[in-house]
Amino acid sequence: MYNSKFVTAFIAAAGMGKRMNMGINKQFLSIGNIPVLAHTIKKLEQSKYIDFLIIIIKETDILYLSDIINKFKINLDYKIVYGGKERQDSIYNGLINMPPETDIVLTHDGARPFVSVEKIDEAIEKVNETGACVLANRVKDTIKVSLDGETVDYTPNRNMLWQVQTPQVFERDILLKAYNQAYAEDYYGTDDCSLVEKTGVKVKLINNSYDNIKITTKEDLHFAKTLIKKVKN
């Protein structure tokens, strides 16, 4: 059972978008005439649990975000925070700027606009079970591990493999401890869960829809335009 706590959601939108190669940060590209980041914000706004938003962007993108705010409004209390060199640095900037009353932290990619509101709420509800949880999919393809990048060394058991997404949800103190430990040990992880795992906390997996894609390449953008039509229908 979820106990009412103060939930702060971080939207990580400070990436460079190099793989998109379109001269603009991917979060500000449009799907159905609405910027990706605006879609994402509106999904988080609909959660019955989220109390506060922290939107993390590159300082040079402030005009793009201001345009979104002016056109689409934000119906939650929010704060804009500038990102750091790596995603981990950006989230840490959010952590040191979150409201002091925060009990639960939810981190979400700005370029994942198709997450369902129901799954956002489910993740927040289930964080009480272990203090950490993440939306994820079982891997469908056979995965090969190559140490030299040219030949196959071994094939891990597909039944044990999951592709993690966001949101990732944590009790505040668990995530803060994980970040402090990572910096103390000079360790960088590719997501927040990897930092939490280093502290020994078990992260609960929540099975999610394969539609919760992260828009990273031009091909993803084309698929997103198909998904937005599906959602409207």
Side-chain angles (χ1 to χ4, degrees):
M1 181 67 68
Y2 174 75
N3 296 320
S4 181
K5 295 181 179 179
F6 193 96
V7 180
T8 297
F10 294 12
I11 300 178
M16 298 294 291
K18 292 179 181 178
R19 281 174 285 183
M20 188 68 73
N21 194 29
M22 294 186 68
I24 182 174
N25 192 327
K26 58 198 173 189
Q27 283 93 352
F28 303 107
L29 296 170
S30 291
I31 306 172
N33 297 317
I34 298 174
V36 170
L37 184 56
H39 282 288
T40 303
I41 290 171
K42 292 304 172 187
K43 284 295 183 67
L44 294 176
E45 279 185 344
Q46 293 176 61
S47 167
K48 58 187 176 184
Y49 298 127
I50 293 173
D51 300 290
F52 193 90
L53 283 180
I54 288 185
I55 306 171
I56 308 169
I57 62 166
K58 290 167 52 183
E59 188 171 358
T60 52
D61 285 335
I62 186 61
L63 292 180
Y64 290 114
L65 179 57
S66 297
D67 187 57
I68 288 174
I69 293 170
N70 289 335
K71 287 182 179 178
F72 301 100
K73 311 302 178 186
I74 297 180
N75 299 312
L76 285 173
D77 290 334
Y78 70 93
K79 185 173 187 177
I80 299 169
V81 172
Y82 295 135
K85 183 177 180 181
E86 303 289 343
R87 184 186 188 278
Q88 182 170 314
D89 303 315
S90 297
I91 296 295
Y92 185 71
N93 287 349
L95 289 172
I96 62 178
N97 280 282
M98 64 183 170
E101 63 267 36
T102 299
D103 299 303
I104 293 171
V105 176
L106 177 151
T107 62
H108 187 60
D109 298 322
R112 285 191 194 271
F114 296 108
V115 63
S116 74
V117 178
E118 292 76 18
K119 284 295 180 179
I120 294 170
D121 288 344
E122 181 182 349
I124 295 170
E125 290 167 356
K126 289 190 175 178
V127 76
N128 282 344
E129 296 182 20
T130 64
C133 62
V134 58
L135 297 189
N137 296 138
R138 288 188 179 275
V139 170
K140 294 187 288 186
D141 297 323
T142 297
I143 303 298
K144 304 292 184 181
V145 175
S146 173
L147 299 179
D148 62 7
E150 296 182 359
T151 58
V152 173
D153 287 283
Y154 64 95
T155 304
N157 184 344
R158 184 173 61 188
N159 294 328
M160 298 172 61
L161 300 178
W162 289 73
Q163 181 178 356
V164 299
Q165 308 168 350
T166 64
Q168 302 185 1
V169 187
F170 312 91
E171 292 180 358
R172 168 201 172 106
D173 290 346
I174 286 175
L175 190 58
L176 280 173
K177 178 183 178 181
Y179 266 80
N180 289 333
Q181 179 176 311
Y183 284 118
E185 297 177 356
D186 195 24
Y187 170 77
Y188 272 76
T190 53
D191 71 345
D192 301 306
C193 284
S194 62
L195 304 186
V196 170
E197 291 158 29
K198 281 274 192 179
T199 69
V201 171
K202 294 291 186 182
V203 179
K204 182 174 182 61
L205 295 164
I206 301 174
N207 199 31
N208 192 32
S209 166
Y210 288 97
D211 288 348
N212 187 24
I213 64 168
K214 183 178 182 181
I215 298 172
T216 303
T217 65
K218 291 179 181 178
E219 289 75 19
D220 295 331
L221 193 61
H222 293 317
F223 184 40
K225 290 176 180 178
T226 301
L227 281 177
I228 201 71
K229 293 177 183 177
K230 173 183 171 182
V231 171
K232 287 181 178 179
N233 294 334

